[in-house]
């Protein structure tokens, strides 16, 4: 029970907030301690299983592995033009460089010269017979005795290439105008009347037509792309690869080598970050390293520097929007027609699934009675864009958020009121445009709780008073909600396997198909296994992901890592526990169902013995002490042609309130405070989940406010290709007041211990930062005009929008 608030705190709002947070934290800690004493190993805050290795520098990444004798190093020779045809390629110039052992081109690929994950349209090396597609496309690989020698030789690519330069297409708008796409268009339509969305829009009292743009984002993982390929006997190949998808690397390497998949082993102990950038795009480097190793019979390592990583690999898709919506005087949407055009880059990569998820999140948390959403994946002469945390969901959801924010401003209403008016209901207005019934809707109560705990209404009034008195500094505030679907849109990816070994000393080894990239997946899986077997967390170790241990795995992506692999590991551990229970009952009497495992002890028929003692006895009784586990997410369906089905197992919800201040003379801005309430279900590890929420918020804020990608309009070179020209958020960008809490509600679906995913959903929370900036810009113009703000909202973009609203006449809806 909470203690009465001390008298001396009653007059201090900040002190009260601190006191309330401390009391809440203390209650949480007490609850966790009680659960731990009762034998719980999930729902407990534990440090990351490798935290001590991270801070001591002992955590081994691919580049830290000892290099075998005879190891060679590879570097890539890149195209100096964004579009063109190779006329001649003087490889002798490259081979003559000091230290060079070999140079590989498309002609040296024994299998298929392709590393496309879905559509096979992504060559490992540009072929002299095909058009160069982007500046930075690999044309050849140099293999040398040292990394420095390989890089120096590869840097002479422009001297070795004679290229006929053609005019590149760089923007999604240009490609859309030319009807140049990597995939066919997608259309998501729901109609409640004849004429569909356009009829509903035409019949509505008010209409809004506009465009919007959201830029892309570099993953900027701390550990760059790297693969280390080691040839083995009988044509086998071992590849240590920093990848989120070892199975896909295995298949693509085998395809390039022209051998069966069982000849290729891919191992990944951990990554130094991935964020989607190592889901499909680690393939090129794994393939090149393996091709070189197979050709030369020696180990080959390929590690990119940051500039080459930027120039070769893709990132989050930028999106261009054109929309036409109808609404009434209250702000309720009647119809919406939304066109989304992404910059896919030169090949399909994962642009199809990204656009599918964008279309499936264009509703966010809102009921759209008549909607027509159109998705175009534009082919441009730029890097092939790929997965990034959120995987199209943020790009889809921000479109409807921008629309509702604009409607509220045109009607002179608080945007929160317009958002709430359009929320999905529980029993009516609860079916998505793609036909899935929302059975777990908690957005109303979650938003109400955050509105109250953040003092949203009082702060909005105080901000209005501040803005009336301040000529140069303007403050803004916004509350943005989210609804995010959890599962892969492709049904067969929603499966996982695991192995659990109990050794006869009672220690436990776990292997599963997920990959650890700092997000705490292995920590959570170890907690699940420890909980299932009733042992301490320290008794469980999770080993490196290995395609020779668990086969046919899915990518660690779509926020499904713990859901899928946790369930698979739980299944394996449960089988072992049941065998041990049967053994204990046979030895000591009683029923197997009544045997209890907790706190490293086993209770059986009135006896108590150590878990390790029972394991030793079970071994002597020839009981199988290892097991495989498997899990497939139930209830999923998807018709990609009709864009209908139940693609998500459940939805995660959340909301954030952000307050900013801008300088209308310079465009500078600062986040003053952020309040977050995120739905994590019954969290497996609250400490890890809070860290994921905080990190996603800051990363998403970077995407929407400062991380700007710029291609040279004539040459097509990515000019922002290094930390010197591309700015990501730092600790200094975190708000001085940062309140992060998890909503108290378990998952309605039977997820792993009723938890919910927290990897991607919180990336939508910083929508509140973008719209708070928009609110402050609107105040600079006396709230006369809907601010024409695009993302990222850099200082230059803010200043441009401020000048527009100050020069504007009153808006007409």
């Amino acid at each position: 029970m909470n203690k009465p608030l001390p008298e001396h705190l009653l007059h201090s709002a900040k002190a009260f907030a601190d006191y309330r947070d401390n009391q809440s934290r203390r209650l949480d800690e007490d609850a966790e301690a009680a659960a731990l004493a009762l034998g719980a190993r999930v729902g407990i805050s534990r440090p990351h299983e490798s935290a001590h290795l991270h801070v001591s520098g002992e955590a081994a990444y691919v580049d830290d592995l000892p290099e075998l004798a005879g190891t060679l190093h590879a570097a890539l020779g890149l195209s100096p033009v964004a579009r063109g045809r190779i006329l001649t390629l003087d490889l002798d110039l490259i081979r003559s460089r000091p230290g060079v052992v070999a140079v590989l081109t498309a002609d040296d690929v024994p299998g298929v010269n392709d590393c496309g994950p879905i559509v096979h349209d992504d060559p490992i090396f540009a072929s002299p017979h095909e058009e160069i597609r982007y500046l930075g496309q690999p044309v050849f690989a140099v293999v040398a005795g040292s990394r420095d020698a390989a890089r120096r030789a590869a840097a002479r690519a422009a001297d070795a290439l004679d290229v006929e330069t053609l005019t590149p297409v760089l923007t999604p708008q240009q490609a859309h105008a030319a009807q140049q796409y990597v995939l066919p268009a997608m259309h998501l339509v729901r109609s409640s009347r004849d004429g569909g969305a356009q009829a509903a829009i035409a019949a509505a009292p008010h209409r809004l037509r506009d465009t919007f743009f959201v830029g892309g984002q570099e993953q900027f993982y701390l550990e760059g792309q790297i693969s280390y390929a080691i040839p083995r006997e009988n044509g086998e190949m071992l590849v240590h690869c920093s990848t989120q998808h070892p199975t896909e690397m295995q298949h693509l390497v085998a395809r390039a080598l022209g051998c069966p998949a069982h000849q290729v082993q891919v191992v990944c102990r951990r990554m130094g970050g991935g964020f989607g950038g190592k889901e499909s795009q680690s393939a090129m480097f794994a393939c090149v390293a393996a091709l070189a190793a197979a050709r030369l019979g020696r180990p080959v390592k390929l590690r990119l520097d940051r500039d080459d990583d930027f120039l070769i690999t893709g990132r989050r898709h930028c999106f261009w929007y054109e929309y036409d919506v109808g609404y009434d005087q209250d702000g309720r949407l009647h119809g919406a027609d939304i066109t989304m055009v992404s910059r896919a880059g030169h090949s399909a990569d994962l642009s199809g699934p990204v656009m599918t998820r964008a279309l499936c999140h264009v509703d966010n948390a809102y009921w759209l009675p008549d909607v027509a959403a159109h998705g175009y994946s534009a082919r441009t002469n730029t890097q092939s864009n790929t997965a990034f945390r959120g995987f199209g969901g943020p790009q889809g959801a921000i479109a409807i958020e921008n629309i509702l924010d604009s409607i509220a401003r045109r009607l002179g209403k608080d945007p929160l009121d317009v958002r709430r008016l359009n929320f999905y209901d529980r029993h009516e207005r609860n079916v998505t445009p793609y036909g899935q019934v929302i059975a777990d809707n908690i957005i109303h109560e979650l938003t109400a709780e955050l509105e109250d705990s953040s003092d949203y209404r009082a702060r909005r009034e105080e901000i209005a008073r501040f803005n009336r008195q301040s000529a140069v500094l303007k403050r803004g505030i916004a509350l943005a909600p989210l609804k995010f679907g959890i599962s892969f849109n492709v049904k067969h990816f929603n499966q996982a396997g695991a192995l659990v070994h109990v050794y006869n000393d009672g220690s436990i080894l776990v292997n599963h198909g997920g990959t650890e990239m700092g997000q705490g997946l292995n920590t959570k899986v170890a907690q699940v296994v420890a909980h299932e077997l009733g042992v301490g967390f320290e008794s469980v170790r999770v080993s490196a992901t290995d395609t020779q241990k668990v086969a046919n795995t899915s990518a660690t992506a779509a926020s499904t890592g713990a859901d899928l692999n946790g369930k698979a590991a739980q299944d394996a551990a449960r089988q072992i526990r049941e065998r041990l229970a049967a053994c204990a009952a046979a030895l000591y009497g009683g029923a197997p169902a009544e045997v209890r495992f907790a706190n490293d002890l086993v209770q059986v028929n009135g006896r108590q013995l150590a878990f390790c003692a029972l394991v030793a006895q079970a071994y002597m009784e020839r009981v199988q002490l290892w097991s495989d586990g498997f899990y497939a997410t139930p209830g999923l369906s998807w018709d990609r042609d009709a864009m209908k089905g139940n693609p998500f197992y459940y939805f995660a919800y959340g909301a954030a309130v952000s307050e900013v201040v801008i300088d209308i003379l310079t465009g500078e801005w600062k986040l003053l405070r952020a309040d977050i309430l995120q739905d994590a279900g019954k969290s497996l590890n609250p400490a890890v989940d809070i860290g994921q929420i905080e990190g996603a918020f800051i990363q998403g804020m970077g995407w929407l406010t400062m991380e700007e990608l710029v291609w040279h309009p004539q040459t097509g070179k990515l000019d922002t290709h290094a930390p010197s020209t591309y700015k990501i958020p730092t600790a200094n960008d975190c708000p001085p007041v940062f309140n992060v809490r998890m909503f108290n509600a378990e998952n309605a679906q039977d997820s792993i211990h009723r938890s919910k995913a927290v990897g991607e959903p919180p990336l939508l929370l910083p929508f509140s930062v973008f719209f708070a900036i928009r609110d402050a810009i609107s105040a600079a113009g006396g709230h006369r005009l809907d601010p024409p703000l695009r993302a990222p909202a850099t200082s230059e973009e803010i200043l441009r929008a401020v000048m527009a609203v100050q020069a504007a006449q009153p808006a007409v809806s």
Side-chain angles (χ1 to χ4, degrees), residues 536-657:
F537 178 83
E538 295 74 14
S539 297
V540 182
R541 183 172 77 85
V542 180
S543 60
T545 310
D546 187 335
T547 56
Q548 289 192 351
K549 293 182 179 177
V550 178
N552 305 320
T553 60
S554 296
T556 304
S559 300
T560 62
D563 283 0
L564 295 176
N565 296 287
K567 277 284 195 179
Q570 182 187 48
D571 178 45
R574 181 184 294 119
Q575 295 176 54
I576 297 172
R577 189 195 70 212
E578 290 171 352
R579 292 178 199 140
L580 288 172
C583 179
L587 291 171
Y588 299 106
E594 295 175 356
V595 178
R596 295 290 177 264
F597 296 78
N599 294 321
D600 294 296
L601 299 172
V602 181
Q603 307 285 342
V604 50
N605 199 26
R607 279 177 186 265
Q608 178 175 289
L609 65 157
F611 176 81
C612 59
L614 176 60
V615 167
Q617 289 178 307
Y619 171 70
M620 299 301 292
E621 295 295 325
R622 299 184 298 178
V623 173
Q624 181 180 332
L625 295 175
W626 62 269
S627 184
D628 63 309
F630 181 76
Y631 176 72
T633 309
L636 302 180
S637 64
W638 183 246
D639 183 334
R640 67 177 183 179
D641 295 323
M643 295 289 286
K644 300 293 181 185
N646 289 282
F648 305 120
Y649 187 39
Y650 62 85
F651 295 96
Y653 300 86
V657 174

Side-chain angles (χ1 to χ4, degrees), residues 294-345:
R295 173 76 177 271
L296 301 171
R298 293 168 66 177
V300 175
K301 180 187 285 187
L302 172 53
R303 173 168 67 88
L304 297 187
D305 76 344
R306 186 65 64 177
D307 293 80
D308 285 350
D309 203 324
F310 265 82
L311 290 173
I312 296 171
T313 65
R315 45 200 60 84
R316 186 188 300 282
H317 295 67
C318 75
F319 268 59
W320 169 259
Y321 309 85
E322 299 172 354
Y323 53 83
D324 184 6
V325 297
Y327 59 97
D328 60 27
Q329 189 60 33
D330 294 326
R332 191 186 298 275
L333 287 167
H334 287 208
D337 194 324
I338 304 170
T339 294
M340 301 189 288
V341 186
S342 71
R343 178 191 273 128

Side-chain angles (χ1 to χ4, degrees), residues 453-466:
S453 65
S454 66
D455 298 321
Y456 173 83
R457 299 291 178 179
R459 288 166 61 197
R460 180 165 282 287
E461 292 178 2
E462 194 278 326
I463 287 169
R465 287 193 295 271
F466 173 88

